[in-house]
Amino acid sequence: MKLGRVEFCHFLQLIALVLCFSGMSQAELSRSSSKPYFQSGRSRTKRSWVWNQFFVLEEYMGSDPLYVGKLHSDVDKGDGSIKYILSGEGASSIFIIDENTGDIHATKRLDREEQAYYTLRAQALDRLTNKPVEPESEFVIKIQDINDNEPKFLDGPYTAGIPEMSPVGTSVVQVTATDADDPTYGNSARVVYSILQGQPYFSVEPKTGVIKTALPNMDREAKDQYLLVIQAKDMVGQNGGLSGTTSVTVTLTDVNDNPPRFPRRSYQYNVPESLPVASVVARIKAADADIGANAEMEYRIVDGDGLGIFKISVDKDTQEGIITIQKDLDFEAKTSYTLRIEAANKDADPRFLSLGPFSDTTTVKIIVEDVDEPPVFSSPLYPMEVSEATQVGNIIGTVAAHDPDSSNSPVRYSIDRNTDLERYFNIDANSGVITTAKSLDRETNAVHNITVLAMESQNPSQVGRGYVTITILDINDNAPEFAMDYETTVCENAQPGQVIQKISAVDKDEPSNGHQFYFSLATDSMNNHNFSLKDNKDNTASILTRRNGFRRQEQSVYYLPIFIMDSGSPSLSSTNTLTIRVCDCDADGIAQTCNAEAYVLPAGLSTGALIAILACVLTLLVLILLIVTMRRRKKEPLIFDEERDIRENIVRYDDEGGGEEDTEAFDMAALRNLNVIRDTKTRRDVTPEIQFLSRPTFKSIPDNVIFREFIWERLKEADVDPCAPPYDSLQTYAFEGNGSVAESLSSLESISSNSDQNYDYLSDWGPRFKRLADMYGTGQETLYS
């Protein structure tokens, strides 16, 4: 008959209790055979009691205190004169003792995993004197273990990785479970491992917990991750043992076990012939089930007729093969290309070479499409030379272009005027001959870079560009001149033969052999008694004095004409005038004062005094200018007058009106209405305020009253207006009445009709209508009689 887990545990507890009781009874027997113990002062023969180790089963769940053991002394005669006391770990709180009988009980449930044993001290005392009758002795209560703790994986859950295609028995990871029960007693802490989930791919060593592969050739591309459940069970795996589980996630890492393969055996792409160099023609990719470095590939063109025209490279991000153009395509020369391309893994694994070659090939056909191309010049650059003395219309050179298409359309030429803004050159539209259109000057522009346009006659939108460099050849057409504006001085105390200036010359021309200048005095200065010239033969000349001393009072400035000639063919010359000033010099020959007027100034007036006088004069001028400016500002009127006197200005308006049909130019009602708002004038020194003006309404009153009011208003405005013209000036008042109460007096209809209308009422309208009353009233017959 098999026992269950609970019954088995109770059976073990009963066996432990029997063993404990038998041990304690043996201790009592040994203690009862010992001799009594006498107090100090008496002779001690032998210890009266000997303590053994007590055992208490943990996790006791009974309702009564658990009996641990019994203490007894030979001195105790059973008459109650001896009492027992207990001290040490857990005394009174966990363990209690019957002071009369010496029985020890545990009052609480004990857990060996919390504390495995307790050390206590026992004492037998005389109840009357409370003095020990036995020496204090120490004993241990050991907690006996039961299987009450399951194994635990403290480091779980686990993760591990192994390469795919690993052989059987490859170690994956080791798992470890711990059991808190006593490993020295029984099998409560003896753990064995088993696999609950993960078979048949993996297995586990029962004693060590090492997980290993159990199947060969596990393919990452088929399944790259496995979840294992490992169990640890104590009691050596027997029934009634406790168990714990953990999970292990095993990931298969990639190895290069898959060769690259093109999904298609051939590809075809169409590209226009106008595609520029380095453009992408196509992207192809070989499929590789591996990942990472194992999927990195290299592409190369192994065969075909486009080896020099195309090249292939790899995109490191996508592992695609990128085909690009290396040279220009020409449909007229070749219409298609065929390439054989190979893709191979960079790093092959020797273990899997038996699976087949780790490379693949495919065929790529590239069809070149015809494009209407612009004309092409026979040379990318045309260098030309022309002398700057050439005549207008002379031929400089010729350019040539042709249509590269099969149609071979005729070509017409022109010059891009953005590169020849001054229009120095012309080109024949049919032949491409370039001629001069203006006189050329090398010194203005030595090189002309122009662009020639060639366009197809049948399709002018197709334009080719050619570049022409025209170098202007130099001729000797510029005379030499002074290299700079010389400021030459001569001291009053100069000695004969003294060099006062060294001069040089420049020439805008650039002869091939370099410049060579010749200096001399002009013909009319050959017999100059003041100065002489010496040609240094190195394109410089020296000016020397010929007499002793100069005086500013007599002549302060000398003008010396110098003749300069170049070595060109033909040679050119020029006469340049050197201005020489006579100056007062110090002892070192440095000029101090060169103005002759300095002698007429007072002797005691220094340069500082002259500067002070000039500063004072300048200050006075500034003050006068400020005063005049302030006065002008005060005279400005304080009223903003936007209506300027038309008599002061003549303004011409060349605008022509739109006639009666033009109603957009201005509001015609403004010409018929006097009730307009007059803008109020604002003073310059007063901030204007926003005023809400309303248009005044006039009642229908006689025009003479309106006219009188109008005149008085204008007179008042003129009287208070500081900017109004003087009283003796003429002011014109253009006034038009509000209209007539008689409305329209048109006779366009009445004169052509035989109406008997009576117009006698016109005589009642006043003297202004007297003429009309005479014309249309009762006196009409006498008017025409």
Side-chain angles (χ1 to χ4, degrees):
M1 180 177 180
K2 295 185 179 179
L3 297 177
R5 177 180 175 181
V6 177
E7 291 81 357
F8 183 74
C9 291
H10 290 169
F11 177 72
L12 292 177
Q13 291 176 357
L14 291 175
I15 294 175
L17 288 174
V18 171
L19 293 175
C20 290
F21 292 152
S22 62
M24 286 186 292
S25 59
Q26 291 177 1
E28 291 176 356
L29 290 174
S30 63
R31 285 195 296 270
S32 62
S33 61
S34 61
K35 294 182 178 180
Y37 168 74
F38 298 96
Q39 297 290 341
S40 60
R42 302 176 183 177
S43 61
R44 179 183 176 188
T45 60
K46 190 178 179 181
R47 278 193 66 167
S48 298
W49 53 5
V50 177
W51 304 107
N52 288 335
Q53 191 177 45
F54 292 147
F55 292 89
V56 178
L57 199 65
E58 67 170 334
E59 303 294 346
Y60 174 71
M61 303 297 292
S63 58
D64 297 330
L66 176 64
Y67 179 77
V68 176
K70 182 179 182 65
L71 300 180
H72 184 71
S73 175
D74 294 341
V75 180
D76 187 5
K77 302 302 183 180
D79 55 0
S81 61
I82 302 298
K83 68 176 182 178
Y84 302 92
I85 61 174
L86 197 64
S87 62
E89 291 180 299
S92 301
S93 60
I94 299 176
F95 302 101
I96 58 175
I97 188 171
D98 188 333
E99 63 180 13
N100 295 319
T101 63
D103 293 332
I104 302 174
H105 291 83
T107 61
K108 294 182 179 180
R109 186 181 66 178
L110 302 177
D111 188 359
R112 190 203 65 83
E113 285 71 40
E114 292 182 1
Q115 189 167 346
Y117 61 90
Y118 295 85
T119 302
L120 293 98
R121 293 180 299 277
Q123 183 77 59
L125 301 177
D126 188 287
R127 187 180 297 276
L128 296 178
T129 62
N130 205 29
K131 291 181 180 181
V133 297
E134 293 280 355
E136 185 179 58
S137 296
E138 186 177 85
F139 66 97
V140 174
I141 299 178
K142 188 174 181 180
I143 310 303
Q144 192 170 7
D145 182 50
I146 66 171
N147 189 19
D148 60 342
N149 290 278
E150 72 277 1
K152 294 182 179 180
F153 293 91
L154 301 180
D155 297 328
Y158 297 84
T159 58
I162 59 169
E164 63 174 331
M165 310 301 288
S166 295
V168 175
T170 301
S171 177
V172 179
V173 69
Q174 183 178 15
V175 296
T176 303
T178 58
D179 195 320
D181 293 326
D182 189 359
T184 63
Y185 179 77
N187 296 324
S188 298
R190 294 181 63 184
V191 177
V192 294
Y193 301 92
S194 61
I195 183 167
L196 301 182
Q197 178 179 324
Q199 295 173 330
Y201 305 101
F202 299 93
S203 62
V204 61
E205 288 286 342
K207 295 182 178 181
T208 61
V210 175
I211 300 174
K212 297 180 180 180
T213 57
L215 284 181
N217 302 328
M218 284 190 291
D219 192 1
R220 184 200 65 84
E221 288 72 33
K223 185 176 182 180
D224 62 346
Q225 197 172 79
Y226 296 85
L227 180 62
L228 283 65
V229 177
I230 305 299
Q231 182 190 67
K233 190 174 184 180
D234 58 14
M235 299 298 293
V236 201
Q238 297 177 1
N239 291 335
L242 303 179
S243 64
T245 60
T246 187
S247 64
V248 180
T249 302
V250 180
T251 302
L252 299 183
T253 58
D254 187 59
V255 298
N256 192 9
D257 60 336
N258 291 278
R261 292 290 180 264
F262 283 105
R264 295 168 56 183
R265 292 293 92 192
S266 64
Y267 298 85
Q268 180 173 316
Y269 298 94
N270 296 348
V271 296
E273 62 174 334
S274 59
L275 203 64
V277 174
S279 298
V280 176
V281 175
R283 287 175 173 263
I284 61 175
K285 184 179 181 180
D288 193 330
D290 297 322
I291 60 174
N294 296 319
E296 293 181 358
M297 283 175 283
E298 294 177 339
Y299 295 87
R300 65 188 184 99
I301 301 175
V302 295
D303 194 8
D305 54 1
L307 292 176
I309 307 298
F310 303 94
K311 73 173 184 178
I312 189 168
S313 59
V314 63
D315 187 332
K316 296 186 181 300
D317 295 329
T318 63
Q319 296 300 315
E320 292 177 309
I322 304 173
I323 303 174
T324 56
I325 302 175
Q326 284 186 296
K327 295 181 180 180
D328 290 327
L329 301 177
D330 188 0
F331 173 82
E332 288 69 28
K334 191 172 180 61
T335 59
S336 65
Y337 297 89
T338 301
L339 306 174
R340 187 167 180 80
I341 296 176
E342 179 188 68
N345 282 138
K346 292 180 64 176
D347 300 314
D349 194 332
R351 296 177 299 169
F352 306 104
L353 292 179
S354 59
L355 299 178
F358 277 73
S359 63
D360 195 18
T361 59
T362 188
T363 302
V364 177
K365 187 173 184 179
I366 299 174
I367 306 298
V368 181
E369 297 178 344
D370 188 22
V371 175
D372 190 6
E373 300 174 275
V376 177
F377 283 86
S378 58
S379 175
L381 178 65
Y382 293 88
M384 300 180 183
E385 293 182 347
V386 62
S387 173
E388 63 178 327
T390 189
Q391 299 297 320
V392 175
N394 285 355
I395 296 176
I396 301 174
T398 304
V399 297
H402 70 281
D403 182 9
D405 298 318
S406 57
S407 60
N408 195 17
S409 175
V411 176
R412 295 183 61 83
Y413 302 94
S414 64
I415 294 177
D416 186 354
R417 292 303 176 184
N418 291 325
T419 62
D420 184 26
L421 297 175
E422 300 296 330
R423 296 180 177 269
Y424 283 108
F425 308 99
N426 287 330
I427 189 170
D428 187 273
N430 297 317
S431 63
V433 175
I434 300 175
T435 58
T436 57
K438 284 184 179 181
S439 298
L440 303 175
D441 185 10
R442 188 203 65 83
E443 288 70 35
T444 302
N445 193 351
V447 178
H448 295 266
N449 294 307
I450 64 174
T451 300
V452 177
L453 306 178
M455 63 184 67
E456 295 181 11
S457 300
Q458 298 178 0
N459 186 5
S461 62
Q462 294 296 329
V463 179
R465 284 173 168 78
Y467 302 97
V468 181
T469 299
I470 301 175
T471 303
I472 310 302
L473 302 178
D474 185 40
I475 63 170
N476 192 25
D477 59 343
N478 291 276
E481 57 187 13
F482 278 158
M484 58 181 295
D485 293 333
Y486 293 100
E487 296 181 358
T488 306
T489 60
V490 60
C491 295
E492 289 183 308
N493 57 356
Q495 300 298 320
Q498 183 176 346
V499 178
I500 61 173
Q501 184 67 58
K502 187 175 182 180
I503 62 174
S504 62
V506 293
D507 194 330
K508 294 180 180 179
D509 297 320
E510 291 184 359
S512 57
N513 297 326
H515 289 290
Q516 180 63 48
F517 301 114
Y518 304 95
F519 300 87
S520 64
L521 294 178
T523 304
D524 54 354
S525 300
M526 287 295 185
N527 298 322
N528 191 300
H529 301 289
N530 300 313
F531 305 98
S532 63
L533 182 143
K534 176 185 177 182
D535 192 341
N536 298 324
K537 306 301 182 181
D538 59 354
N539 289 340
T540 64
S542 300
I543 308 300
L544 299 88
T545 58
R546 297 190 65 178
R547 66 185 180 87
N548 187 9
F550 296 85
R551 290 182 60 81
R552 282 179 291 170
Q553 293 88 343
E554 296 176 359
Q555 187 174 348
S556 61
V557 179
Y558 292 89
Y559 299 99
L560 185 64
I562 298 176
F563 180 80
I564 308 175
M565 184 176 64
D566 61 19
S567 59
S569 179
S571 62
L572 297 179
S573 62
S574 66
T575 301
N576 299 264
T577 301
L578 183 67
T579 301
I580 304 173
R581 297 184 181 276
V582 181
C583 300
D584 180 23
C585 302
D586 57 11
D588 297 329
I590 299 175
Q592 299 295 320
T593 305
C594 298
N595 295 328
E597 292 77 3
Y599 283 94
V600 301
L601 294 175
L605 198 59
S606 63
T607 304
L610 289 175
I611 295 174
I613 292 172
L614 291 175
C616 292
V617 172
L618 182 61
T619 304
L620 289 175
L621 290 175
V622 172
L623 290 175
I624 292 171
L625 182 60
L626 290 175
I627 292 172
V628 172
T629 304
M630 294 298 293
R631 287 186 177 180
R632 286 185 179 180
R633 288 186 177 180
K634 289 182 179 180
K635 289 182 180 181
E636 291 182 1
L638 298 176
I639 304 297
F640 285 102
D641 190 4
E642 297 180 356
E643 298 176 1
R644 299 298 181 186
D645 190 358
I646 61 173
R647 294 170 298 174
E648 298 177 1
N649 302 285
I650 298 177
V651 181
R652 183 172 179 177
Y653 300 92
D654 293 333
D655 295 334
E656 183 176 352
E660 294 181 356
E661 299 298 330
D662 186 8
T663 60
E664 301 296 333
F666 54 85
D667 189 2
M668 299 295 294
L671 300 178
R672 304 187 182 96
N673 190 4
L674 290 176
N675 303 328
V676 296
I677 302 174
R678 296 184 177 89
D679 296 333
T680 58
K681 298 181 174 62
T682 58
R683 293 180 62 88
R684 297 179 185 271
D685 55 346
V686 178
T687 303
E689 297 179 356
I690 299 176
Q691 299 178 356
F692 296 90
L693 301 178
S694 61
R695 186 182 298 273
T697 57
F698 291 89
K699 296 181 179 180
S700 298
I701 57 178
D703 284 350
N704 56 352
V705 178
I706 297 174
F707 182 79
R708 188 182 303 112
E709 291 180 357
F710 174 76
I711 295 297
W712 279 110
E713 285 185 33
R714 296 300 296 270
L715 288 175
K716 289 179 182 179
E717 290 177 2
D719 291 339
V720 299
D721 188 5
C723 298
Y727 293 106
D728 57 353
S729 63
L730 176 64
Q731 295 194 62
T732 301
Y733 299 98
F735 178 82
E736 185 178 349
N738 282 335
S740 173
V741 295
E743 299 180 353
S744 175
L745 296 178
S746 174
S747 60
L748 295 177
E749 297 179 358
S750 60
I751 195 169
S752 61
S753 64
N754 297 326
S755 175
D756 296 332
Q757 185 176 357
N758 186 4
Y759 295 98
D760 292 340
Y761 60 85
L762 294 176
S763 60
D764 298 330
W765 286 3
R768 289 186 300 172
F769 299 93
K770 184 177 183 303
R771 182 64 177 172
L772 290 174
D774 294 340
M775 293 175 62
Y776 294 91
T778 56
Q780 184 177 4
E781 296 178 358
T782 60
L783 181 62
Y784 294 99
S785 60

